[in-house]
Amino acid sequence: MAARNKEQDKPRDPRASLALLWGEQEQPTRGPKPKLSPQRIAAAAVELADGEGLDAVSMSKVAGGFGVSAMALYRYVPGKGELVELMVEAVLAEGPDLSGVPGGDWRAGVREWARRCARVYAAHPWLLGATAMRRHVMGPQQLRWLDAALAALEPTGLGAAQRHQVFLLLVGLVRNLAQQVSDYDEEQDREWNRLTGELLARHADRFPALTKAIAEGAFEPAGLDPLEFGLDRILDGVEALIAGRE
Amino acid sequence: MAARNKEQDKPRDPRASLALLWGEQEQPTRGPKPKLSPQRIAAAAVELADGEGLDAVSMSKVAGGFGVSAMALYRYVPGKGELVELMVEAVLAEGPDLSGVPGGDWRAGVREWARRCARVYAAHPWLLGATAMRRHVMGPQQLRWLDAALAALEPTGLGAAQRHQVFLLLVGLVRNLAQQVSDYDEEQDREWNRLTGELLARHADRFPALTKAIAEGAFEPAGLDPLEFGLDRILDGVEALIAGRE
DNA sequence: ACCAACTGTATATACCGTAAACACAACTGC
DNA sequence: GCAGTTGTGTTTACGGTATATACAGTTGGT
């Protein structure tokens, strides 16, 4: 175990962050040619995180990949927090063109959006931890995804505030799912189930509903795709909302 | 900024964790009287986390609160990961008796469960980060909440696997909500909105749906309670599922 | 040519979690 | 009562982390 960053405790100038994320900073003409760029650094960090997890992303390791010292990175990035923001933007940029689905079928559109979003999280499990950091600033790519979701929701005829709420619900669904998946570990899971099963059997009276549910196979691998299940529930809920307004 | 723990990279014996969480370890009779106990340590850590955030919980600070050295804690707790697990159990234990709501109204029961769960997260914002750690082991208090949720869902007549899925949806809702709330910071939020607003105005063509939604006031403080809104959607979705099965 | 601006490095600080070796205290068996 | 064993708390040390600061080297504009 190493130490946990207090990623959020230094003020982190939002102006600087935004300039970085939107690529809106005039680059100088005077000094030596820079070897690196915020984007190249972020890309290297992403590669590292994809391979070894977010915790493996340290200034020193990232810098090492370029053969420069850790402090060199601070010429391009104000701090690690901002680097992570850049990483998020980088992987969010990978996503395809998010222009809506052809027809006026909002359910299909929203579903497709959620699937694509889930795919990004699946490809980069560390995204979850990276965006869980407090007070992060939205960059253009995050806004792009937000925009796409809102666009997909326009045909619902819901008000703006409600569309926003539904969007939050959808991101939440995808993120929770990603959480569960990233937590999963075949071997360890089996071990856990075994041990907890024993304990539970010994205290069955304290957990009647749980005991019954387990007996009925609630925790078997199950053919249910959690994403589709969640989407179905939420979309049905939204449909009910639309119906109720008329 | 300090360093980020790789909380999960040391094996962390599940047997030991479970014994700790269930309080099933025979205590010795030989040596000197211990001054501390896993529970007292966890309680102190919770207090610290409540006051200064999860990142403020370091072995050294917790130990300092008892006037002992950091290493003393390792006599009671295998490591920091396990300490955090104990913290989670501690705050989850605070929750009231979760016995279901009287009538056969499953919606009311589930709603009440979610509200209580949300209240715990609101009281201890660090819970989110604490349970986000990978591979955590469920203790009895976590099982108690799970049991209560499953019990509340029994009157729906849904299958065990589906009840489980709905449970996951509900926890997800509460957690995402907690995330949003804990991210919120009046001052900083205003600043962010201002700066991002400028940038967005300059790129309005790239984000048409978002621009429109903002114009319609989608991001105003809004009278919508996100928890109730989310619950309404999900419960309606579940109701549709029940109806569809008949 | 000079100087200002810029890049990268080396060094140092202040944390973090925790392994290892140790001194002491208290109970068990004699 | 005494010895031995076992558990407690401390000290020290190690390898990590982010990053502040002071410096050396490079480059372009003047």
Side-chain angles (χ1 to χ4, degrees), chain A residues 120-244:
Chain A
V120 176
Y121 274 92
H124 309 283
W126 50 268
L127 238 188
L128 201 91
T131 49
M133 287 183 193
R134 330 254 168 279
R135 305 274 80 239
H136 72 281
V137 189
M138 275 205 206
Q141 295 300 332
Q142 274 188 65
L143 293 181
R144 186 173 71 102
W145 282 85
L146 169 54
D147 184 81
L150 292 176
L153 284 168
E154 271 178 0
T156 57
L158 292 174
Q162 288 181 323
R163 290 203 303 273
H164 181 212
Q165 288 299 321
V166 174
F167 160 77
L168 290 175
L169 233 48
L170 291 170
V171 199
L173 173 67
V174 171
R175 287 175 56 88
N176 285 311
L177 207 75
Q179 171 89 263
Q180 291 159 226
V181 169
S182 96
D183 276 5
Y184 189 75
D185 174 328
E186 179 77 25
E187 174 114 20
Q188 196 131 358
D189 216 54
R190 207 192 312 276
E191 176 74 357
W192 177 87
N193 277 326
R194 204 177 55 74
L195 291 171
T196 307
E198 285 175 14
L199 284 162
L200 222 144
R202 218 167 338 136
H203 301 89
D205 50 328
R206 285 173 61 188
F207 310 103
L210 177 54
T211 308
K212 202 201 308 181
I214 290 178
E216 293 178 35
F219 297 84
E220 305 297 320
L224 280 173
D225 178 342
L227 176 61
E228 298 302 327
F229 183 86
L231 273 174
D232 285 337
R233 290 318 120 243
I234 291 178
L235 294 184
D236 282 352
V238 171
E239 200 139 80
L241 175 65
I242 299 172

Side-chain angles (χ1 to χ4, degrees), chain B residues 148-227:
Chain B
L150 292 177
L153 284 168
E154 272 180 359
T156 57
L158 291 174
Q162 289 181 325
R163 290 203 304 272
H164 181 212
Q165 288 299 321
V166 174
F167 161 76
L168 290 175
L169 233 46
L170 291 171
V171 199
L173 174 66
V174 170
R175 287 175 57 87
N176 284 311
L177 207 74
Q179 170 90 265
Q180 291 158 228
V181 169
S182 96
D183 276 7
Y184 191 74
D185 172 331
E186 180 76 23
E187 174 113 22
Q188 196 133 353
D189 216 56
R190 209 194 306 282
E191 176 74 357
W192 177 85
N193 276 327
R194 205 176 56 72
L195 291 170
T196 307
E198 287 175 14
L199 283 161
L200 222 143
R202 220 170 332 139
H203 300 90
D205 52 328
R206 286 173 60 188
F207 310 103
L210 177 54
T211 309
K212 203 202 303 182
I214 289 177
E216 292 178 36
F219 297 83
E220 306 297 322
L224 278 174
D225 178 343
L227 176 61

Side-chain angles (χ1 to χ4, degrees), chain B residues 68-90:
Chain B
V68 302
S69 80
M71 293 310 294
L73 303 189
Y74 286 87
R75 294 284 173 195
Y76 303 91
V77 166
K80 185 170 176 183
E82 288 83 352
L83 171 55
V84 175
E85 285 170 6
L86 276 175
M87 292 171 62
V88 172
E89 283 291 303

